[in-house]
Amino acid sequence: PANDGAAEAAAAAEDVGFFKPRLVHFTARGCSDPLAALALFDEWQRVLSTGGPPAAAQYAQAQRASYKRLSEIEYLSRELSSRLKRERLESGLSLPPPGTSAADGGPNLLTLQALLCAAFLPNLALGRTTCPPAVLADIARHRLDPSRTVAFIVGSGSQGGAHLTQANLAAALKPCGKLEQSIISKSRVHVNGALSLQTSAVLSFASQEGALLALRMAGMRGSLPVPLTGADGTTRQPVGTAWLQAPQYACRLRFQRLTCLEDAAAV
């Protein structure tokens, strides 16, 4: 129903609005959720120390983060730091020179990524792209940037005689940023042992952030409604709905856990 589609589109757009501030930290910190959260916490601490609690509360609100939760993390961080210092002194270990971390800007990104990997040992992960070969071939054939491109299957809906266009897609995905190019194609695929006509859309955005936002916007509930205008293009009122489904992103990996041979033998 049209009302359900409009509600889903509004919910997806609202979620993208909440996710945008976090995405800035995510892309700047090695595309890692834990490191993105750490970057947000570090900036919140800086705002707290320079502007006080009111400024820190305003920053947390702008980042769609919980001021209370950030305060709890800061308290735990200070408690852990004090305990580590006490144990180092009790063990006869010297403390790092005062201000070392602040002067050096803290651990670099590669060090933090290595620490995260070490924390999950002995579990090993093998990453493979989740993108189907046909989608990768389309991206290569049209010379698109994989980091800025997302592919979708267009689900059947009530189209009312209208056809999916780039203008429809750009309007539906407006919260994600500028859509530079869309390649809409039809192909015959096997469905339940029979050939069926399937529509697909390969979308190229102006930035990687736009592609990641589109991936989230359509992936939250598995599909995203796209209102369609009249076939003659003379009316702006939606006459039908198409659904973007099964988003595929070439830079997203699927990880499979591997068990060390020694552990497997012990089991």
Side-chain angles (χ1 to χ4, degrees):
N3 291 339
D4 292 344
E8 285 200 29
E14 183 180 15
D15 175 78
V16 165
F18 278 94
F19 183 67
K20 275 183 178 179
R22 194 67 55 88
L23 182 62
V24 175
H25 295 295
F26 182 80
T27 54
R29 298 297 288 170
C31 294
S32 164
D33 284 329
L35 296 185
L38 176 61
L40 189 153
F41 175 71
D42 287 342
E43 180 63 17
W44 177 82
Q45 275 193 313
R46 186 192 68 79
V47 174
L48 180 65
S49 63
T50 58
Q58 186 176 6
Y59 175 78
Q61 183 178 12
Q63 295 292 313
R64 306 297 196 271
S66 169
Y67 181 90
K68 180 179 179 182
R69 182 61 56 85
L70 289 169
S71 299
E72 291 173 350
I73 294 174
E74 185 195 31
Y75 172 77
L76 292 174
S77 175
R78 284 189 279 106
E79 286 290 306
L80 179 59
S81 178
S82 298
R83 181 172 179 178
L84 289 175
K85 289 179 180 179
R86 185 170 61 252
E87 291 188 356
R88 286 176 70 97
L89 292 173
E90 292 175 354
S91 301
L93 301 175
S94 60
L95 296 175
T100 301
S101 297
D104 297 339
N108 61 40
L109 180 59
L110 185 59
T111 301
L112 292 172
Q113 289 174 329
L115 288 172
L116 283 175
C117 290
F120 287 101
L121 288 176
N123 292 326
L124 304 178
L126 178 64
R128 293 191 178 93
T129 180
T130 62
C131 211
V135 174
L136 295 176
D138 277 344
I139 293 174
R141 181 165 59 254
H142 296 284
R143 298 180 179 180
L144 302 176
D145 183 350
S147 68
R148 298 189 288 112
T149 303
V150 185
F152 297 94
I153 300 298
V154 181
S156 58
S158 174
Q159 297 195 4
H163 297 283
L164 182 65
T165 66
Q166 179 164 329
N168 299 148
L169 292 165
L173 294 166
K174 186 178 180 180
C176 304
K178 183 181 179 181
L179 176 63
E180 287 191 332
Q181 185 177 0
S182 64
I183 302 167
I184 304 169
S185 59
K186 297 181 181 292
S187 59
R188 294 193 177 275
V189 297
H190 287 277
V191 178
N192 297 327
L195 283 176
S196 177
L197 193 63
Q198 184 181 82
T199 303
S200 61
V202 179
L203 310 182
S204 178
F205 290 84
S207 65
Q208 181 184 14
E209 289 76 10
L212 291 172
L213 289 172
L215 190 67
R216 181 177 181 90
M217 192 172 181
M220 285 298 294
R221 301 190 180 187
S223 63
L224 179 70
V226 179
L228 304 178
T229 54
D232 58 359
T234 59
T235 176
R236 295 183 179 181
Q237 293 297 324
V239 297
T241 304
W243 295 84
L244 298 183
Q245 300 173 340
Q248 302 288 346
Y249 184 54
C251 298
R252 183 169 62 177
L253 300 179
R254 178 181 63 248
F255 287 95
Q256 177 184 3
R257 282 190 174 185
L258 304 178
T259 305
C260 294
L261 295 179
E262 295 81 359
D263 296 338
V267 174

